[in-house]
Amino acid sequence: MAESSTPEPSDSSRPNPSREAGNQRPPAVRDVRGYWRANRNLIAVLLTIWATVSLGCGVLFVEQLNEYRIGRLPLGFWVGQQGSIFLFVLLVFVYAFAMDRLDRKYGVKE
């Protein structure tokens, strides 16, 4: 039998999965330790704010806050029941915004 005379495709003509749009690797993070240090610091600050407002204003300083009113409810009750939840939701958005900035700063892509 005769051998086929068609040449083998060269390496440059073969499809390369790593070059395809969906298979590209994101560039490596420039400073992994710095990225995670900044992430941990951000989390620590936001959790401290939340704990201070939730525990401090809702429990420890409730008598002082009850001197003020929002509508007919004392401020201490409002902070304990509603304010800490609203603050938590706000801090989630702050965290998402700050992490987007941090990801851009360190070259992290999802």
Side-chain angles (χ1 to χ4, degrees), residues 45-65:
V45 166
L46 294 177
L47 285 176
T48 301
I49 291 169
W50 186 45
T52 302
V53 170
S54 297
L55 179 65
C57 296
V59 177
L60 300 176
F61 306 119
V62 72
E63 295 301 324
Q64 292 87 351
L65 291 173

Side-chain angles (χ1 to χ4, degrees), residues 57-58 61-62 65-68 73-81:
C57 296
F61 306 119
V62 72
L65 291 173
N66 281 342
E67 295 175 11
Y68 304 99
L73 296 174
L75 183 60
F77 174 80
W78 189 87
V79 170
Q81 295 298 313

Side-chain angles (χ1 to χ4, degrees), residues 8-58:
E8 287 290 318
S10 66
D11 286 340
S12 62
S13 65
R14 288 185 182 160
N16 186 347
S18 65
R19 290 186 205 161
E20 294 176 12
N23 293 330
Q24 291 182 357
R25 278 182 160 173
V29 177
R30 290 181 279 185
D31 179 13
V32 175
R33 288 182 183 218
Y35 174 78
W36 285 107
R37 186 179 320 111
N39 189 1
R40 281 192 319 264
N41 289 342
L42 175 63
I43 291 171
V45 166
L46 294 177
L47 285 176
T48 301
I49 291 169
W50 186 45
T52 302
V53 170
S54 297
L55 179 65
C57 296

